[in-house]
């Protein structure tokens, strides 16, 4: 069983349409992938329809933007939550909605300095109903010749420590962990040792474990071997499972194909066995399950 538990579609800051992801996942030899767009479930219904024909299984998920009690920004992978859970519906949608004024602030600051970027271009790049993020702004800067490529746009303009960084609404991390559990989902801390800014201390990760955290994403492209060993040891100490994933973003992160990292089958089984909120989707699996993502306004699904 080859499983990639962290991928993005055009419903957030990936460049592959959700309807195209299952075939792409199958073509790389994956048996299961999780769609984990930022702060919403907007791609799940379309990915599910396509997954029925591809033979690959789809684990519905999302990547939730959070802040720790000490103020460190982090991403929480939420797998198999009930998409109608009212707390998540309200709070995740609020985070996603706040990404719009936040991106508009960044665009306005860039325009004030004469950088070639307009809000209309950002919206055109992101497409309708996407969870708007910095990669969309980076793509516009590249298209307009203001940056050489996406990494250059981040390094000079958009990274956490770059001049135009601006934050958006986030969830409080221990509250988010508990809310994911309450929605029948399984919370896993994403890329805790990515070098993007201040990192969570082991004490803070331990606090998240106390709140119900299920696992740590260990095999991630932003983690070197030292990071992976340390995270694996920490997971062992805290009784957490470990995952591996690509954090696939298509053309917004070059050189990171689907399946670049995968999750150990024993760890996958431990994760899946804890899910009670939403079924795995795919051929033969709960034929109408995606309706719950399509028919109601739930986190990340456009009106
Ligand atoms: P946002 O969610 O709008 O704050 O943007 C964060 C996203 O930007 C991440 O999910 C990555 O896809 C991407 N990202 C963050 N840092 C970098 C970086 N240094 N280079 C390229 N992409 C990045
Ligand atoms: Mn992203
Ligand atoms: Mn992330
Ligand atoms: Mn991600």
């Amino acid at each position: 069983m080859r499983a990639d538990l962290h991928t993005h579609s055009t419903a957030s800051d990936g460049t592959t349409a959700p309807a195209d992801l299952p075939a792409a996942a199958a073509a790389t030899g994956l048996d299961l992938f999780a769609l984990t767009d930022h702060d919403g479930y907007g791609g799940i219904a379309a990915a599910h329809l396509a997954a029925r024909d591809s033979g690959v299984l789809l684990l519905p998920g999302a990547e939730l933007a959070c802040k720790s009690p000490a103020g460190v920004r982090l991403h929480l992978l939420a797998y198999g939550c009930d998409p109608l859970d009212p707390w998540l519906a309200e709070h995740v949608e609020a985070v996603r909605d706040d990404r719009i004024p936040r991106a508009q602030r960044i665009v306005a600051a860039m325009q004030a300095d004469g950088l070639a970027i307009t809000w209309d271009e950002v919206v055109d790049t992101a497409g309708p109903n996407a969870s708007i993020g910095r990669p969309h702004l980076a793509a516009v800067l590249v298209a307009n010749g203001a940056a050489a490529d996406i990494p250059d746009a981040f390094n000079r303009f958009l990274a956490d420590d770059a001049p135009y960084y601006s934050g958006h609404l986030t969830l409080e991390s221990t509250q988010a962990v508990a809310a994911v559990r309450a929605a029948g989902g399984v919370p896993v801390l994403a890329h805790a040792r990515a070098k993007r800014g201040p990192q969570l201390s082991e004490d803070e990760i331990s606090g998240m474990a106390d709140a119900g955290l299920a696992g740590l994403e260990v095999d991630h492209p932003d983690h070197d071997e030292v990071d992976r060993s340390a995270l694996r040891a920490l997971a062992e100490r805290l009784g957490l499972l470990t995952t591996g994933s690509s954090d696939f973003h298509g053309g917004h992160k070059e050189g990171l194909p689907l399946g670049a990292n995968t999750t150990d089958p024993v760890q996958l089984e431990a994760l899946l066995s804890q899910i009670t909120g939403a079924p795995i989707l795919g051929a033969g699996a709960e034929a109408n399950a995606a309706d719950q993502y399509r028919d109601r306004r739930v986190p990340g699904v456009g009106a």
Side-chain angles (χ1 to χ4, degrees):
M1 174 66 94
R2 292 191 75 234
D4 184 342
L5 293 185
H6 186 166
T7 72
H8 295 270
S9 75
T10 51
S12 68
D13 56 5
T15 58
T16 305
D20 295 335
L21 268 177
T28 59
L30 289 171
D31 300 298
L32 180 148
F33 76 103
L35 180 56
T36 53
D37 278 309
H38 294 284
D39 305 312
Y41 295 143
I44 302 286
H48 174 223
L49 286 177
R52 289 178 186 172
D53 301 327
S54 69
V56 84
L57 294 171
L58 166 64
L59 173 60
E63 184 175 16
L64 307 179
C66 301
K67 205 173 271 181
S68 77
V72 177
R73 282 193 293 273
L74 64 105
H75 284 169
L76 186 69
L77 294 161
Y79 297 110
C81 293
D82 173 359
L84 301 181
D85 177 81
W87 193 94
L88 281 180
E90 178 184 339
H91 290 84
V92 174
E93 188 168 306
V95 171
R96 193 191 54 154
D97 288 352
D98 193 57
R99 288 172 162 278
I100 295 170
R102 176 266 199 144
Q104 288 171 328
R105 277 197 306 278
I106 298 177
V107 169
M110 288 178 161
Q111 285 179 331
D113 289 345
L115 277 169
I117 186 168
T118 67
W119 179 244
D120 284 352
E121 290 170 325
V122 174
V123 172
D124 279 354
T125 300
N129 295 325
S131 184
I132 290 192
R134 282 178 279 166
H136 299 120
L137 280 66
V140 172
L141 293 170
V142 172
N144 291 343
D149 52 24
I150 299 246
D152 181 48
F154 269 88
N155 288 338
R156 287 199 289 140
F157 304 119
L158 287 163
D160 292 28
D161 57 357
Y164 295 96
Y165 179 80
S166 177
H168 57 72
L169 184 67
T170 50
L171 306 177
E172 194 279 309
S173 55
T174 52
Q175 197 176 19
V177 164
V180 169
R181 287 288 196 186
V186 173
V188 171
L189 177 60
H191 52 65
R193 291 296 174 256
K195 288 107 196 129
R196 295 182 192 167
Q199 294 185 345
L200 281 176
S201 67
E202 294 198 352
D203 277 354
E204 284 212 281
I205 296 175
S206 174
M208 291 177 71
D210 292 342
L213 187 70
L216 302 180
E217 187 180 50
V218 170
D219 292 308
H220 181 278
D222 289 356
H223 293 161
D224 61 25
E225 283 308 322
V226 174
D227 300 326
R228 294 177 192 210
S229 302
L231 284 171
R232 237 181 277 284
L234 180 62
E236 175 108 33
R237 281 207 299 287
L238 297 176
L240 301 174
L241 56 82
T242 58
T243 67
S245 53
S246 63
D247 204 356
F248 177 73
H249 282 72
H252 283 166
K253 278 193 186 166
E254 298 289 356
L256 288 175
L258 282 164
N261 294 292
T262 55
T263 295
D264 177 85
V266 172
Q267 303 292 322
L268 177 69
E269 193 53 42
L271 190 159
L272 297 180
S273 72
Q274 297 177 42
I275 292 177
T276 58
I280 294 176
L281 306 169
E286 302 271 346
N288 295 316
D291 291 347
Q292 62 194 326
Y293 293 93
R294 189 165 42 239
D295 293 345
R296 300 275 296 272
R297 184 155 171 81
V298 294
V301 177

